[in-house]
Amino acid sequence: MRVLIPGISGGIARRLALKLRDSGHEVAGIDIRPWRDAPKGIQVHPVDVRKRAAEDVFRRWKPEAVVHMATVTAFTVPGGERGRINLDGTKALFDHCAAHGVKQVLFVGRHTFYGAAPDSPLYHSEDEPPRALEAIPELADLVAADLYAATALWRMPEVTTAVLRLVYTLGTPGTGTLANLLRGKRVPMVLGYDPLFHVLQEEDVVTALQLALEKKVRGIFNVAGPAPVPLSVIIRGTGRTPVPLPSPVLSLLLGRAGFPRLSVGATDHLRYPIVVDNKRFLEATGFQYAYDEGRILRAYADALPVDRAGHGG
């Protein structure tokens, strides 16, 4: 299968590209970020998915499947540019797929789609709408991209489209939303709250993506691994120290005093859980995770021990 990965220079995307290549697929990628040491057999095109040069890649290379990983997390890019990358980039990608005969698309989204709210159900199913966007407007563009990708299920019935809502990931590179929260020696919590967090090791993420691709799943799926665990367990399990603070104090200290830089609205994620039901994905793919929660936390602690941890920000 000829597989194109927009966003191929990201850590998980690189691992996916290598695994697909080693499994016999032809692999290429699009990314404005360089992958200078890209291995033999993987083409990397340094173009923006929104530009005409990206469509030229579709036209010349003729991918059969696309794994869309060219979105950005909520708090790393200024709002206007984040919206252009996430929503405009997703629209452009589906336009290219429709114009050039792509047969399968995986949109890699986040379980934060559902939002963190005090009145949310304990387990979120794929049929639920997003919540609490007014509290965390930074998530709006990712939610919009997710919803737009889902419309391809009826707009483009000739394309096998899957929207995958992945839980937080942890791995040896130490990247991602949860990894950034855990980067320092002291990790903030909201006093009186200890929400459940899903964690999935990056190698298991790659396995899940490959299964979704090769099983040609269609629809919307939550993707998770081990049972969720309290945030305090994650903090201690990675060798960090939890620091419970009243919410107003925490808001003032974000990005200071060794604490990570987060959106003020993101403190809701430190109060309320986002727990997903992944039964639909398990039934469709037979996915089995290799890393339980203890092994995930130990691997992260070994990759970024406390004596090498940064100071947030």
Side-chain angles (χ1 to χ4, degrees):
M1 187 188 307
R2 296 170 69 83
V3 184
L4 183 67
I5 306 176
I8 196 170
S9 294
I12 294 176
R14 292 187 186 199
R15 291 188 179 202
L16 176 64
L18 290 168
K19 188 167 186 179
L20 291 176
R21 183 203 62 178
D22 293 345
S23 298
H25 299 286
E26 296 180 65
V27 182
I30 292 173
D31 205 313
I32 58 174
R33 299 168 297 177
W35 185 2
R36 294 188 178 89
D37 57 346
K40 183 178 180 180
I42 298 177
Q43 302 178 34
V44 180
H45 302 274
V47 298
D48 188 324
V49 72
R50 299 167 291 179
K51 304 299 184 181
R52 181 173 295 179
E55 185 175 7
D56 290 340
V57 175
F58 279 78
R59 181 183 298 108
R60 293 194 307 270
W61 202 68
K62 295 180 171 55
E64 299 168 81
V66 171
V67 183
H68 181 26
M69 304 185 73
T71 56
V72 294
T73 53
F75 314 119
T76 57
V77 177
E81 180 61 14
R82 189 175 57 240
R84 287 187 287 273
I85 293 171
N86 290 336
L87 183 54
D88 295 348
T90 297
K91 182 181 183 303
L93 181 137
F94 276 96
D95 288 345
H96 300 335
C97 289
H100 299 287
V102 174
K103 300 300 182 185
Q104 184 181 5
V105 180
L106 298 185
F107 173 87
V108 182
R110 281 80 164 174
H111 79 312
T112 48
F113 169 91
Y114 299 107
D119 57 348
S120 292
L122 179 57
Y123 281 89
H124 295 278
S125 72
E126 291 89 346
D127 301 323
E128 290 181 29
R131 299 170 183 262
L133 291 182
E134 69 282 357
I136 312 179
E138 297 90 343
L139 292 179
D141 49 81
L142 277 173
V143 168
D146 183 298
L147 292 172
Y148 185 83
T151 67
L153 290 165
W154 56 265
R155 288 189 302 106
M156 300 165 57
E158 72 282 3
V159 179
T160 300
T161 299
V163 175
L164 307 180
R165 295 171 181 160
L166 269 65
V167 300
Y168 290 125
T169 61
L170 282 178
T172 52
T175 59
T177 301
L178 181 56
N180 289 337
L181 177 66
L182 298 171
R183 188 163 296 279
K185 300 177 182 180
R186 299 183 301 156
V187 180
M189 297 180 63
V190 177
L191 186 65
Y193 294 87
D194 194 6
L196 295 172
F197 270 56
H198 279 288
V199 289
L200 189 60
Q201 213 278 341
E202 290 181 344
E203 292 180 19
D204 284 330
V205 173
V206 170
T207 298
L209 295 177
Q210 182 178 15
L211 278 171
L213 190 68
E214 295 180 344
K215 297 285 187 179
K216 293 181 167 57
V217 298
R218 176 185 176 89
I220 301 172
F221 301 90
N222 296 326
V223 181
V229 294
L231 177 58
S232 62
V233 172
I234 294 173
I235 295 170
R236 293 190 176 95
T238 55
R240 275 68 177 160
T241 301
V243 182
L245 296 167
S247 182
V249 175
L250 176 57
S251 297
L252 291 173
L253 291 177
L254 289 175
R256 303 182 179 92
F259 292 117
R261 181 179 292 114
L262 301 173
S263 159
V264 173
T267 57
D268 278 351
H269 286 264
L270 303 182
R271 285 189 291 214
Y272 310 121
I274 307 176
V275 177
V276 298
D277 180 352
N278 66 330
K279 180 172 64 176
R280 185 181 296 180
F281 186 73
L282 299 182
E283 291 175 347
T285 65
F287 170 65
Q288 294 182 329
Y289 58 86
Y291 286 75
D292 63 21
E293 56 271 33
R295 189 179 174 197
I296 294 171
L297 301 182
R298 288 193 299 272
Y300 182 82
D302 291 343
L304 191 67
V306 170
D307 60 2
R308 286 171 40 209
H311 299 284

